[in-house]
Amino acid sequence: MGVVIQMRIPSKNDKPGASPLKQSCQENLLPAPMILPTVHELDLFKCFQPILIHIQMLWELMLLGEPIVVMAPSPTVSSETILALTSSISPLKYCCDYRPYFTIHDSEFKEYTTRTQAPPNVVLGVTNPFFIKTFQYWPHIIRIGDLKMSGDLPKQVKVKKHTKLKTLDTKPGVYTAYKTFLHQDKTLSKRLLKGIQRKRPSEVQSAILRRHLLELTQSFIIPLERYLVSLMPLQRAVTPWKNPPQIRPFSQDEFMRTLEHSGPQLTSVLKGDWIGLYSRFFRSPNFDGWYRQRHKEMTQKLECLHLEIICEAVS
């Protein structure tokens, strides 16, 4: 048929959103092959269109692994919104559970709907009106109405106090008592809303939104990566006659002291309680997953360095 599709299943070590490696045999092919990082790339702008003005708050909730319920008009909207939320903190891996389309037939139905314990760290997408009453005690609820692409400015849902969520309240909105740690950046929402007025293509809008979220996550994670590197033993401490030295343990207090001179303010214009956000992040499954993976990578790097030094010593 004249078309060759080569697919690679990502491994657990691949970073989210990373492009696949180019193969040398493809370099001279004409026309040049098109490489897609994923089979289906979400229209991020379309997914977040009704809640654009709350994108920063939702980013914080996902970063902290908070329990969220998305009530949507259809399984498609539900699934795409959940996947957009989990990808909003990329390249940081979302380490909590998430269900793009949750129903009463799921095995965890009783566990997630009980009122005898706090909701788990999970993001659920639902469409059944039955869940309006069942999940009314969850801390963060997003209700999305039918999307109408009329070309005008979409009606932005409001943040409503959780106490105002009535059993039969079907009005779109974000129901939460959460207060953001960072001050809202209105520049992004104004830029995207102006793009709707000027009929800017959705692909361009999504690229703007994705870049903003990427830069926000990188500003948050770079100080952590910088501090983590400082925990590695010096290369001169690695000798062929001893076991490789241990990586120093992660100290939250020590890390907090580094923020004054090498914190997110170096790469982000956002003001607010960054220290409070980090403190909350340290108690989330996302930090635990990130730290475990990075510690494993650093340990492997240290072991490889030790083996290299041993080989050089005996050769």
Side-chain angles (χ1 to χ4, degrees):
M1 296 175 63
V3 177
V4 177
I5 299 177
Q6 183 176 353
M7 203 168 111
R8 174 181 174 272
I9 299 175
S11 69
K12 63 180 180 180
N13 295 324
D14 288 345
K15 293 184 178 180
S19 298
L21 297 174
K22 294 183 179 180
Q23 296 184 3
S24 57
C25 61
Q26 295 179 342
E27 292 179 355
N28 299 323
L29 292 180
L30 292 175
M34 180 182 295
I35 299 178
L36 302 176
T38 178
V39 176
H40 174 64
E41 188 166 334
L42 286 170
D43 188 339
L44 213 58
F45 174 70
K46 179 183 176 182
C47 296
F48 287 137
Q49 193 170 0
I51 48 179
L52 277 179
I53 60 176
H54 311 302
I55 190 66
Q56 190 171 307
M57 178 183 68
L58 297 175
W59 175 83
E60 285 191 18
L61 292 176
M62 296 305 295
L63 182 73
L64 302 176
E66 287 287 308
I68 300 176
V69 174
V70 175
M71 298 182 178
S74 69
T76 300
V77 175
S78 166
S79 301
E80 291 186 343
T81 304
I82 295 297
L83 294 177
L85 285 170
T86 56
S87 67
S88 65
I89 61 173
S90 178
L92 187 66
K93 184 179 180 181
Y94 183 72
C95 297
C96 304
D97 193 9
Y98 61 95
R99 306 297 174 86
Y101 182 48
F102 185 77
T103 70
I104 59 175
H105 303 292
D106 280 81
S107 57
E108 290 85 2
F109 172 74
K110 290 185 178 180
E111 176 188 349
Y112 291 167
T113 55
T114 182
R115 298 180 186 178
T116 58
Q117 59 186 20
N121 300 95
V122 61
V123 181
L124 302 178
V126 301
T127 59
N128 193 332
F130 168 79
F131 288 118
I132 297 176
K133 179 180 179 180
T134 310
F135 286 129
Q136 63 179 317
Y137 295 102
W138 273 49
H140 317 290
I141 300 173
I142 304 172
R143 285 198 57 82
I144 299 177
D146 293 320
L147 299 178
K148 297 180 180 180
M149 306 295 287
S150 60
D152 298 326
L153 291 179
K155 186 177 180 181
Q156 297 293 293
V157 299
K158 298 179 179 180
V159 174
K160 303 179 182 181
K161 291 185 178 180
H162 205 271
T163 54
K164 291 185 178 180
L165 179 60
K166 300 178 181 178
T167 302
L168 297 178
D169 192 351
T170 58
K171 293 182 180 179
V174 179
Y175 297 84
T176 180
Y178 179 80
K179 293 183 179 180
T180 58
F181 288 93
L182 306 180
H183 300 160
Q184 184 178 0
D185 181 11
K186 297 181 180 180
T187 306
L188 174 70
S189 56
K190 288 181 179 179
R191 185 181 179 188
L192 292 173
L193 292 175
K194 187 176 291 185
I196 298 176
Q197 290 178 320
R198 297 178 177 178
K199 297 183 179 180
R200 185 185 293 152
S202 182
E203 296 82 2
V204 179
Q205 296 278 74
S206 290
I208 294 173
L209 183 55
R210 188 174 288 108
R211 182 176 182 83
H212 173 83
L213 292 171
L214 174 64
E215 291 176 349
L216 186 57
T217 304
Q218 286 179 331
S219 294
F220 181 83
I221 209 72
I222 284 174
L224 286 166
E225 292 283 357
R226 186 183 294 116
Y227 172 71
L228 206 62
V229 170
S230 71
L231 302 180
M232 279 283 284
L234 296 176
Q235 185 169 347
R236 64 171 178 264
V238 183
T239 65
W241 321 117
K242 297 180 181 179
N243 290 330
Q246 296 294 313
I247 300 171
R248 289 198 299 119
F250 191 103
S251 170
Q252 296 182 17
D253 293 335
E254 187 181 28
F255 168 74
M256 292 298 192
R257 290 193 291 270
T258 68
L259 295 179
E260 183 178 356
H261 301 292
S262 57
Q265 70 275 6
L266 298 179
T267 54
S268 176
V269 297
L270 289 182
K271 306 295 182 181
D273 186 9
W274 284 98
I275 292 180
L277 184 60
Y278 280 113
S279 297
R280 188 86 169 263
F281 176 70
F282 289 146
R283 302 195 298 268
S284 74
N286 286 331
F287 170 72
D288 184 64
W290 169 81
Y291 178 68
R292 287 176 182 272
Q293 179 62 31
R294 292 292 289 116
H295 190 275
K296 179 181 177 181
E297 293 171 359
M298 291 168 64
T299 302
Q300 291 174 344
K301 184 176 180 180
L302 200 58
E303 291 174 350
C304 289
L305 178 61
H306 186 230
L307 288 175
E308 289 177 5
I309 292 177
I310 292 176
C311 292
E312 292 175 358
V314 297
S315 59

